[in-house]
Amino acid sequence: MGLAIAGSMFSSISMMAQDAGKPDQDSMDSLARVFKKEEGKTQDARDKDNMSNLKSERSETRKKAREARRVENDASNSAKQAKSAYKAEKRAQKARRRADDQAKKAAKAKEKANE
């Protein structure tokens, strides 16, 4: 909004400069230069602010990506541990079954020996 007002002021200055004489023309030119300079400073400030915002967003995105990778790694490691635990339990169950079978065979053999 401020730029619109400044722009209309600049056009008014230009129109008045056409009607004015040489001394007034110098004054109008000076005002126009000041306006252009201030407009440039305003644009520079906006550009710096935009860059700052973009850098902040990039930093946040990188942090989120690092956190996502960490969570993914943790989940992967947990899945590997669960798979390993499952296999170990299956092996243990198989070993217990074999031990029970051997105990039964041993008991039968003992019965036969006692008969």
Side-chain angles (χ1 to χ4, degrees):
M1 184 169 137
L3 287 177
I5 293 171
S8 65
M9 188 174 96
F10 181 66
S11 0
S12 298
I13 291 171
S14 297
M15 291 175 75
M16 288 178 7
Q18 292 171 358
D19 296 337
K22 178 66 175 153
D24 290 336
Q25 179 67 36
D26 291 340
S27 173
M28 295 301 155
D29 289 343
S30 176
L31 285 174
R33 280 193 303 276
V34 168
F35 171 74
K36 289 268 189 194
K37 186 177 181 181
E38 289 301 317
E39 186 178 28
K41 286 180 182 178
T42 303
Q43 186 61 42
D44 288 346
R46 265 191 248 124
D47 291 346
K48 285 180 183 178
D49 191 40
N50 285 341
M51 285 302 289
S52 176
N53 289 340
L54 290 173
K55 286 179 182 178
S56 296
E57 287 176 17
R58 182 176 65 178
S59 175
E60 287 298 317
T61 302
R62 285 181 175 171
K63 286 178 186 176
K64 287 178 183 178
R66 275 195 300 270
E67 178 65 15
R69 279 193 299 272
R70 187 192 63 77
V71 168
E72 184 179 1
N73 288 339
D74 287 351
S76 177
N77 290 340
S78 294
K80 286 176 185 175
Q81 287 177 351
K83 185 177 180 180
S84 177
Y86 173 76
K87 285 182 178 181
E89 180 59 28
K90 275 186 91 172
R91 284 192 299 270
Q93 287 176 359
K94 189 174 182 180
R96 284 191 294 271
R97 240 187 347 266
R98 284 185 180 163
D100 289 345
D101 290 344
Q102 285 180 346
K104 286 177 186 177
K105 285 181 185 177
K108 281 184 185 179
K110 190 175 180 181
E111 271 184 36
K112 279 188 178 182
N114 288 337
E115 289 182 6

